[in-house]
Amino acid sequence: MEIIRVDKLNKSFGDHHVLNDISFTVNKGDVVAIIGSSGSGKSTLLRCLIDLEKADSGDVFMEGKPLIKSGVYPSMQEIREIIMRMGMVFQHFNLFPHLTVRQNLELAPKVVKKEEPLQMNKRCETYLEKVGLLERIDAMPSTLSGGEKQRVAIARALMMNPDILLFDEPTSALDPELTGEVLNVMQSLANEHMTMVVVTHEMNFARKVANKILFMDAGKILEEGTPEDIFNNPREQRTQAFLSTVLREQSKKVKKKYRLKKYL
C-alpha cells in the first residue's frame, strides 16, 4: 500500500533551487533513508512533506489524498487532516522546557484531538515504556540527557498515532553513546513495521535498517535503491565519492572511541 507519492516536487529560496524535480514513493512498512551532503535539500524535502515549507510545484499525495497537486494546495482543513497522519522528530528535540515529559506528550492529543485524560495517560505510559523512559514521566526536560530528550520526542510523535514518522537528522546533535540509544528505539519501530522516512548521516543505520535509500545531491535524487545497491554497487560517481568520504570518517570515529575507552 502506497503511503506517500512525490512527483516532480520543486522548491526554491530566491534564486537557489533547493529541490529539483524530486520523485519517489513510500509504501506501508518502508524505512526510507535519505542520505547526502549538507545542503543537498534533504531537510527541506521533509519539511515540504509535512507542510512546514510550501513547495513551488509538483505533487505530494498522502494515502491518495493531495497535500499539493500540480503546485496547488487544498484548503487548510484538508491540509490539517493530511498532516495529522504524520509525525515528525526534529534534530533539536523541540520539547517545551516548562512542561514535564508527560505534559509534552499529552499536549497535542489534548489540544488537537480533544482526547480524554484517561486515554491520553494510558498511551503516554505505553509509549514512554516503549522508548525506555517510563520512570522519567514527571521529569522536566532540563534534567534529561540529549538521548533521553530525543527518545521523548519520538514518544511524543507516536502519541498522535501517525501512519508515518519523519526523522530529520535525529542523532546529529548527540554524542556517539547517546546516538545508540536513539537508533535502538528507531530500529525497534522498524521491527514493528512502522513506516519511516529518515534523513540521516548514520550509514550503519541506513545500511542495516532501511529497505530503500535515496541519495540526494544539489537538490536532486541522484540515485535510489536498496542498501545493497547503494552501498555495494553505487552507479553514480558522486554517490561513490560521498560514501567513501562518510564511511572513512565514521570509521575514524569508531577507532577513536575504542582508543578512549581502552584508557578510561
Side-chain angles (χ1 to χ4, degrees):
M1 175 185 172
E2 190 176 87
I3 299 290
I4 288 180
R5 176 163 60 86
V6 179
D7 189 36
K8 296 188 179 303
L9 194 71
N10 287 274
K11 171 69 179 177
S12 295
F13 293 109
D15 295 332
H16 183 33
H17 205 164
V18 183
L19 300 178
N20 192 341
D21 279 348
I22 298 291
S23 299
F24 67 98
T25 59
V26 181
N27 294 321
K28 186 176 178 61
D30 276 351
V31 178
V32 179
I34 305 177
I35 64 174
S37 301
S38 297
S40 58
K42 306 183 301 296
S43 294
T44 301
L45 173 56
L46 282 198
R47 292 175 68 84
C48 286
L49 294 184
I50 202 165
D51 198 47
L52 292 174
E53 295 284 357
K54 295 291 187 185
D56 299 324
S57 64
D59 300 338
V60 176
F61 286 86
M62 170 70 181
E63 295 179 330
K65 294 190 175 181
L67 175 65
I68 175 174
K69 185 176 181 181
S70 301
V72 178
Y73 284 85
S75 69
M76 285 303 300
Q77 177 60 33
E78 290 172 294
I79 290 173
R80 278 195 295 269
E81 289 174 0
I82 291 168
I83 64 175
M84 276 178 61
R85 301 179 190 176
M86 296 183 266
M88 187 157 178
V89 179
F90 297 88
Q91 179 178 341
H92 292 294
F93 326 130
N94 292 349
L95 300 180
F96 292 104
H98 62 292
L99 300 179
T100 66
V101 167
R102 182 197 301 272
Q103 290 166 336
N104 265 281
L105 263 67
E106 295 181 355
L107 183 63
K110 178 181 178 181
V111 173
V112 178
K113 291 190 172 182
K114 314 296 183 188
E115 286 191 23
E116 295 296 324
L118 186 61
Q119 184 181 1
M120 285 190 302
N121 291 342
K122 185 175 281 189
R123 285 187 22 256
C124 178
E125 291 175 2
T126 296
Y127 290 129
L128 283 175
E129 187 170 23
K130 181 186 289 287
V131 301
L133 289 173
L134 182 55
E135 74 282 359
R136 306 290 273 152
I137 192 168
D138 293 314
M140 300 300 292
S142 61
T143 68
L144 304 177
S145 71
E148 288 173 333
K149 289 176 184 176
Q150 196 60 291
R151 285 187 281 153
V152 169
I154 293 172
R156 180 178 59 180
L158 290 169
M159 283 292 287
M160 295 296 283
N161 292 323
D163 295 331
I164 183 169
L165 280 179
L166 310 178
F167 293 84
D168 187 12
E169 299 281 11
T171 61
S172 64
L174 305 176
D175 65 38
E177 193 167 350
L178 299 179
T179 292
E181 296 177 5
V182 175
L183 294 179
N184 286 339
V185 170
M186 293 170 65
Q187 178 149 15
S188 72
L189 291 173
N191 293 342
E192 295 168 8
H193 308 293
M194 169 61 75
T195 308
M196 298 190 285
V197 178
V198 185
V199 169
T200 184
H201 284 299
E202 296 292 336
M203 296 300 109
N204 202 38
F205 174 85
R207 189 199 295 263
K208 290 184 175 180
V209 180
N211 66 300
K212 182 189 289 187
I213 309 286
L214 307 180
F215 172 67
M216 289 188 66
D217 185 62
K220 298 180 179 181
I221 294 177
L222 207 59
E223 193 160 354
E224 175 179 349
T226 65
E228 172 75 18
D229 295 333
I230 301 301
F231 286 99
N232 295 343
N233 301 292
R235 298 187 311 272
E236 301 290 334
Q237 191 171 7
R238 181 69 188 93
T239 314
Q240 295 169 18
F242 170 79
L243 289 174
S244 176
T245 300
V246 171
L247 293 173
R248 185 168 59 248
E249 288 302 313
Q250 292 191 354
S251 177
K252 287 179 183 176
K253 287 180 182 178
V254 169
K255 289 177 181 177
K256 183 178 178 181
K257 183 180 175 185
Y258 173 76
R259 287 197 301 268
L260 285 172
K261 280 190 170 182
K262 191 175 179 182
Y263 293 106
L264 288 177

